[in-house]
Amino acid sequence: MSFVLDQVRRIDSQLDRLQLLASTPRPTSPEESVGAGRESGFSRTEDVQLQRISSQLSRLQSTVKSLSTTSSARALLEPHRISHLLSHVDLLSLEDDTEQVAENGSDDSYEELQWLLIGKAAVQTYGVILNTLLEQTIPLSDEIWYWDEVLGSYQYTALYSIQTAPLRLWDWSKCIYADSRTRLRLLREREDETSAAEVDTSSVEPISRSLIRRWNQFYGLVRESIHARSVVDIRRRVVSPFALSRAEARSKQQGLKKLREMSASGLGVLMDECLRFDVDEEGSISTKGGNVMSGAGDPGREEWKSIVEKSVTLMETVMRNVTRLDVGLAEFEDAVFASVEDESAIVEQSIISEDRRISRQAILVRRIQLILDMHVPRQVLEFRKLARRYGRPPVLIRYWLPVAATLLFSGTLLRIVTNRKAAITTWLREVGETVVDFWANWVVEPLKKLIGTIRHDEASEVALMSKESLNVDRASLERMVVQFAIDNPEVVSGSSLSEADIAVIREKVRQGDLTPVLRAYERDLRKPIVGTIRGDLIRALLIQIQKTKVDVEVAISGIDSLLKSQQLVFGFVGLTPSILVCLAVARWLSGLSSNRKGLERGNRQGHMLRLLRNVDRIVAGSTSANNGVLSYKEHGLLLCQVHELRQHAKRILPGEIYREFLEDIHELEDIRIGVDKQLRVVERIRWAYARWIR
């Protein structure tokens, strides 16, 4: 969204307001017209004419709706679309029906509808021209900056000299060739005159000798041309090649600056002088000449039509002269306004008679079509030629040296790649396999185990021993101790054991109490040989070994329970290294894009700050003495900077802040407030949006 769209919508709404405030009767519909004709007793021929007029009115209304900014999502139409819509309405064919329209009582409505069509088409054409000039003027700043870089450093000047060396060699070769051909043509004319005066039929020169002689002549002429060219360029040889390159760059820079000033001046003229009328609440038209009433039958009704007519002439004149760099800026502005006044004087002679009104509308429609179909494309073509002449060299010229080096060493590079094809293929395959194996073994598998732990999957449980090992060993120990006590009842009670005594022993064994075994063990230690021979000592030792095994298994069982309680933690710990590696790679990849986005954002903010500086320079450096307002050129340059400022701010500022920013921008674009207020607006933008600009 740019100021062009705002301007077009504003003027289009003013035209609609003029039609709403007009006190003319509404146009009759086709059915009403035909019915009125039949009731009045019109003949069949007159009825056919009324039907044709009604059809033309319907077509006019449809075209007016299509040309309105509210008719579609795109407020600005393409030039070919505008011309196509105008071509469907042939106002010249309606000239013969004017008297019939007047007799039918709808002459005023019909004429107002025609003028509304012309106004809508003029507004759309106005938007096309403004957009064209804006898009042409803005890129010129980058081209001028390129020449500033070339002129600001000897390194860049040397690089430019190397880049443009083939062009200079080509131009020099063309001059030598053209001069040699001219000399050869003159030499042949003299030889033809000599041979015509002295004809000797007896002596015929062989063909081979004639070709050799002609080649020697041409070679000699080329050497003479080179020598003559060297004598002509002897003054340029005194100057260094760097100085010549700098002079060429400075000349092209001046041409671009002149082209930018002319385009900016044309943009400012159109913004300040074209379609400048405002409608207040009472229906008055405010122009530079004051307020003119626009009621029915008042002069204001003709005033806005005159403004539209002069605006069409102004647009046509600007598009014809904006690319003329042979005239000064003041001469361009004077010529534009002089042509508008001359054209207005000519048109006034054609509207004195009431019968020429329709011809006036038809002429305006034709002129708008000429602007769209001829003047705009011609201006675009001429501007491109000038921009190509004074702009930076083409891409192929700027990069011919690296391209030539690449082509020169491409064979060597291709040979190196071919010789190491197997190694490169193996390396790429191993890199791919490593990435796949890492992902499968260190990311997917631990993740599956972690999910199984969360779901209490038995296959994913952590265990140091089997589930039934402790129970089996403990039951075996119990049986050993009970049997030992039955075999040696004296160590328990001194008599045979009852079932109650055995149950007590079993309970104590479960609690880890081996008192009967230890008593027997202590007894046999007094007589170890007897105890060994009897076997009770060895049996007691084996029972204690089993007891130690059970104690170890109990400890391991506790550790196993601890591991099972923290199994989810261990799963996360096992998955952490692979996750960290994946996050590091993802962060690196996202860092590349985020750094690029951050760099773009920083560049955009820096660009906004530079644009704001340029706006301040344009407004503060205004040399216009016209009541403290900017000149046409300065206003055009200001609009270009403001347009870029709006485009960058739309990507940086939040929605609500951007709407407030647009309010300040609209105030800055209005030169009628004066330079002093514009400077205050610039200062307000600088401190109010410093958070997003810096």
Side-chain angles (χ1 to χ4, degrees):
M1 184 176 180
S2 65
F3 70 90
V4 176
L5 188 58
D6 296 339
Q7 183 80 352
V8 169
R9 284 176 173 172
R10 183 183 63 82
I11 299 175
D12 187 77
S13 64
Q14 290 176 356
L15 286 177
D16 294 337
R17 186 171 179 79
L18 283 172
Q19 298 303 312
L20 292 175
L21 293 175
S23 59
T24 57
R26 67 175 181 86
T28 57
S29 62
E31 293 79 4
E32 294 173 348
S33 299
V34 174
R38 290 174 178 173
E39 292 175 0
S40 301
F42 288 158
S43 64
R44 186 174 183 83
T45 304
E46 293 174 341
D47 193 10
V48 172
Q49 291 178 353
L50 286 176
Q51 290 180 356
R52 185 171 66 253
I53 294 170
S54 300
S55 176
Q56 294 288 356
L57 287 173
S58 299
R59 188 178 303 173
L60 280 174
Q61 292 173 352
S62 176
T63 306
V64 168
K65 291 181 181 179
S66 300
L67 290 173
S68 298
T69 57
T70 57
S71 61
S72 62
R74 293 191 60 182
L76 290 178
L77 301 179
E78 297 294 333
H80 62 86
R81 174 62 177 166
I82 304 172
S83 180
H84 178 71
L85 290 174
L86 292 178
S87 63
H88 279 212
V89 181
D90 187 8
L91 299 184
L92 291 175
S93 64
L94 303 179
E95 185 176 2
D96 297 334
D97 300 328
T98 306
E99 296 180 358
Q100 184 66 38
V101 173
E103 293 176 0
N104 197 33
S106 60
D107 186 28
D108 293 337
S109 300
Y110 176 65
E111 183 181 356
E112 289 297 324
L113 189 59
Q114 287 183 346
W115 275 106
L116 181 60
L117 169 68
I118 295 172
K120 296 283 187 177
V123 171
Q124 289 289 340
T125 306
Y126 177 62
V128 169
I129 294 176
L130 286 182
N131 211 15
T132 301
L133 292 177
L134 185 65
E135 292 177 354
Q136 290 174 349
T137 308
I138 290 177
L140 294 179
S141 300
D142 295 334
E143 301 295 327
I144 295 174
W145 176 82
Y146 172 80
W147 294 119
D148 286 335
E149 290 290 319
V150 173
L151 295 172
S153 173
Y154 282 103
Q155 290 81 2
Y156 287 119
T157 304
L159 179 61
Y160 173 73
S161 301
I162 296 173
Q163 290 174 342
T164 57
L167 287 179
R168 290 194 295 271
L169 180 61
W170 174 251
D171 293 338
W172 180 80
S173 301
K174 288 195 299 183
C175 293
I176 296 298
Y177 179 73
D179 187 64
S180 300
R181 289 197 61 178
T182 303
R183 292 172 180 268
L184 182 61
R185 180 174 54 81
L186 295 176
L187 180 61
R188 287 181 177 177
E189 290 177 357
R190 289 196 298 267
E191 288 181 352
D192 292 339
E193 293 176 357
T194 304
S195 60
E198 299 177 358
V199 179
D200 186 4
T201 57
S202 61
S203 60
V204 179
E205 186 178 10
I207 297 177
S208 60
R209 185 178 300 175
S210 176
L211 292 176
I212 294 174
R213 182 177 60 81
R214 290 182 178 274
W215 171 253
N216 290 333
Q217 288 179 352
F218 182 75
Y219 181 70
L221 292 176
V222 171
R223 293 185 61 183
E224 291 179 2
S225 299
I226 294 175
H227 179 70
R229 187 73 179 176
S230 301
V231 173
V232 172
D233 295 340
I234 191 170
R235 293 184 178 179
R236 299 186 63 183
R237 289 187 175 185
V238 178
V239 185
S240 64
F242 287 171
L244 295 176
S245 299
R246 290 176 64 85
E248 181 181 357
R250 191 175 294 107
S251 175
K252 291 187 176 182
Q253 186 186 46
Q254 294 299 325
L256 286 176
K257 287 183 178 180
K258 181 65 177 300
L259 183 60
R260 183 178 65 175
E261 290 178 355
M262 295 289 289
S263 301
S265 179
L267 187 62
V269 167
L270 292 177
M271 280 293 296
D272 297 342
E273 304 294 338
C274 193
L275 298 174
R276 294 293 296 181
F277 52 85
D278 298 322
V279 183
D280 56 16
E281 296 296 333
E282 298 179 355
S284 298
I285 302 175
S286 300
T287 64
K288 289 190 173 183
N291 291 339
V292 182
M293 297 302 296
S294 62
D298 291 333
R301 191 172 175 182
E302 296 294 330
E303 181 67 20
W304 76 270
K305 300 175 184 178
S306 176
I307 293 174
V308 171
E309 191 171 12
K310 291 182 179 180
S311 299
V312 172
T313 304
L314 184 64
M315 289 186 287
E316 182 179 3
T317 307
V318 168
M319 296 305 288
R320 283 203 312 259
N321 300 300
V322 73
T323 54
R324 291 185 57 188
L325 302 184
D326 55 340
V327 298
L329 197 61
E331 289 81 359
F332 164 72
E333 296 175 357
D334 295 339
V336 168
F337 292 113
S339 63
V340 172
E341 294 298 331
D342 295 341
E343 189 72 21
S344 299
I346 295 174
V347 172
E348 286 179 359
Q349 299 297 326
S350 64
I351 63 175
I352 296 176
S353 176
E354 189 71 19
D355 297 335
R356 298 297 301 273
R357 285 183 179 179
I358 298 181
S359 298
R360 180 184 175 190
Q361 285 89 285
I363 292 174
L364 282 177
V365 169
R366 181 56 182 164
R367 290 176 63 186
I368 292 175
Q369 288 181 315
L370 286 177
I371 292 174
L372 296 171
D373 298 337
M374 185 177 68
H375 295 303
V376 172
R378 181 181 299 174
Q379 189 272 340
V380 171
L381 183 60
E382 292 177 355
F383 183 87
R384 288 178 180 175
K385 291 180 179 179
L386 292 174
R388 192 180 302 114
R389 179 192 304 174
Y390 297 114
R392 68 183 70 186
V395 177
L396 185 60
I397 298 300
R398 295 201 307 268
Y399 297 102
W400 71 268
L401 189 59
V403 170
T406 303
L407 294 177
L408 184 62
F409 295 103
S410 59
T412 304
L413 295 176
L414 184 61
R415 187 164 53 253
I416 293 174
V417 173
T418 304
N419 293 336
R420 301 189 175 219
K421 181 179 179 180
I424 295 174
T425 305
T426 303
W427 181 79
L428 293 175
R429 184 176 63 253
E430 291 179 352
V431 169
E433 292 177 354
T434 302
V435 173
V436 172
D437 293 341
F438 171 80
W439 180 259
N441 299 328
W442 292 95
V443 178
V444 177
E445 289 298 328
L447 192 59
K448 289 181 178 179
K449 293 180 180 179
L450 182 62
I451 295 174
T453 301
I454 296 174
R455 301 176 60 183
H456 294 283
D457 189 2
E458 295 182 357
S460 62
E461 291 185 356
V462 178
L464 298 178
M465 55 180 294
S466 59
K467 293 183 179 181
E468 300 298 330
S469 178
L470 177 60
N471 295 330
V472 172
D473 288 340
R474 184 177 290 173
S476 177
L477 177 63
E478 183 180 342
R479 288 193 299 271
M480 289 180 184
V481 174
V482 169
Q483 189 63 37
F484 185 82
I486 293 173
D487 295 340
N488 299 283
E490 66 275 5
V491 298
V492 179
S493 60
S495 61
S496 61
L497 300 176
S498 62
E499 291 296 332
D501 295 334
I502 294 174
V504 171
I505 293 173
R506 290 180 184 276
E507 183 64 26
K508 289 183 178 181
V509 171
R510 291 190 187 98
Q511 296 176 1
D513 185 3
L514 300 181
T515 301
V517 178
L518 293 177
R519 286 177 181 176
Y521 179 71
E522 293 173 357
R523 184 194 62 185
D524 291 338
L525 282 179
R526 298 189 190 101
K527 298 177 181 180
I529 297 176
V530 176
T532 302
I533 294 173
R534 194 171 56 225
D536 292 338
L537 181 62
I538 297 175
R539 191 176 178 184
L541 287 174
L542 292 176
I543 291 174
Q544 292 185 52
I545 291 174
Q546 181 67 18
K547 175 63 170 60
T548 303
K549 181 180 178 183
V550 170
D551 291 340
V552 171
E553 289 183 352
V554 169
I556 294 176
S557 177
I559 297 174
D560 190 50
S561 300
L562 181 63
L563 290 177
K564 288 181 179 179
S565 64
Q566 302 296 324
Q567 188 172 359
L568 187 61
V569 176
F570 293 143
F572 277 111
V573 170
L575 190 60
T576 299
S578 58
I579 291 178
L580 292 177
V581 173
C582 294
L583 287 178
V585 174
R587 187 172 182 178
W588 177 73
L589 293 176
S590 62
L592 294 178
S593 60
S594 62
N595 289 337
R596 186 176 303 169
K597 292 180 180 178
L599 183 61
E600 291 178 357
R601 182 178 179 86
N603 291 337
R604 196 175 294 118
Q605 291 175 343
H607 198 185
M608 284 188 64
L609 192 60
R610 291 193 299 271
L611 290 172
L612 195 59
R613 168 189 171 273
N614 294 338
V615 170
D616 186 61
R617 289 183 69 250
I618 293 172
V619 178
S622 175
T623 59
S624 176
N626 187 15
N627 297 326
V629 297
L630 298 177
S631 63
Y632 296 126
K633 181 196 74 173
E634 293 165 346
H635 190 201
L637 294 175
L638 176 66
L639 291 175
C640 294
Q641 301 297 323
V642 167
H643 173 76
E644 289 191 88
L645 199 61
R646 291 178 60 166
Q647 299 301 319
H648 289 286
K650 188 176 182 180
R651 300 184 180 95
I652 294 179
L653 300 181
E656 296 181 358
I657 305 299
Y658 179 68
R659 286 192 291 271
E660 297 175 358
F661 179 80
L662 287 182
E663 294 178 0
D664 295 329
I665 288 298
H666 291 156
E667 189 175 357
L668 180 62
E669 292 173 353
D670 189 5
I671 65 171
R672 292 175 294 182
I673 64 176
V675 174
D676 295 335
K677 291 186 178 179
Q678 285 179 309
L679 286 174
R680 288 197 292 270
V681 172
V682 173
E683 186 63 28
R684 182 169 68 244
I685 292 175
R686 183 180 289 111
W687 63 260
Y689 309 99
R691 174 184 173 186
W692 296 275
I693 294 178
R694 298 179 180 177

